[in-house]
Amino acid sequence: MRRLATWRAALCGDLRGAVVEIGAGTGLMFAHYPAGAQVTAVEPDDGFAALADPRRAAAAATIAVARGTAEALPLPDASQDAAVFGLVLCSVRAPAAALAEARRVVRPGGAVRLLEHVRSPRPIAGALMRAANPVWRALNGQGCNMHRDPLPDLAAAGLAVERVEAFQVYSPGLPAFPLRAIWARVP
């Protein structure tokens, strides 16, 4: 979707130095990193990593794919200038642990960026998302949860949220999915 590509570029376009992308999937973020970035793309699924390879090869940034999970990143403490999550926290087992891991590997003052779909802030829609989540999870096959909110987990991980941009993506025949682009920093 073009709209998501715009947000991906906004989140990644200014990152330089060592960047960890957590849950890189099929590499949809890769095109948005600038030439000055050295990206370690952590992905637990070998099939997704294989699909990401053409995007990795075409990227302006230097990108290396590493096997790992969001809750146990294969990187040393304070070794990264930034961490990026792109539609990932919905499917990790422990979002708070994943964000704490990002905080561990990003140096003090480093950036943490997120693009996530979230539970609706509207009371009825939010309650419906929570009620429908077990069916959604069973149908999507990726462990995706539709009713999460990353802001409390960011706070629990000790990350300082600097900016939150709310938006929605509409698809023909489907309801709106609320999304957030989030800029945070390691204190």
Side-chain angles (χ1 to χ4, degrees):
M1 292 181 192
R2 182 163 168 69
R3 181 93 168 141
L4 285 178
T6 302
W7 285 103
R8 286 182 175 105
L11 285 170
C12 298
D14 66 336
L15 297 177
R16 303 285 189 275
V19 178
V20 59
E21 183 179 333
I22 301 162
T26 61
L28 290 173
M29 295 289 260
F30 294 174
H32 305 289
Y33 293 108
Q38 298 87 42
V39 180
T40 301
V42 177
E43 175 55 47
D45 185 300
D46 290 334
F48 279 172
L51 291 172
D53 200 51
R55 290 184 175 112
R56 181 199 56 75
T62 302
I63 300 175
V65 178
R67 186 140 168 82
T69 66
E71 299 92 346
L73 296 172
L75 297 164
D77 294 358
S79 62
Q80 304 296 296
D81 296 302
V84 175
F85 293 84
L87 300 173
V88 172
L89 289 179
C90 63
S91 61
V92 299
R93 288 187 182 115
L99 290 163
E101 227 358 46
R103 182 172 187 206
R104 178 187 69 79
V105 303
V106 175
R107 67 170 172 73
V112 178
R113 309 277 174 85
L114 296 87
L115 175 64
E116 298 293 337
H117 67 88
V118 299
R119 179 182 62 241
S120 176
R122 297 178 180 164
I124 293 173
L128 288 172
M129 291 175 89
R130 183 178 218 63
N133 191 63
V135 173
W136 170 257
R137 205 173 137 86
L139 293 175
N140 69 57
Q142 297 295 315
C144 174
N145 293 278
M146 66 167 39
H147 70 303
R148 289 186 173 170
D149 178 0
L151 292 176
D153 291 330
L154 282 157
L159 296 164
V161 174
E162 297 177 329
R163 180 174 153 204
V164 178
E165 295 282 339
F167 65 101
Q168 291 186 314
V169 174
Y170 296 91
S171 297
L174 295 176
F177 288 96
L179 289 111
R180 301 291 180 269
I182 302 168
W183 287 258
R185 190 156 304 279
V186 175

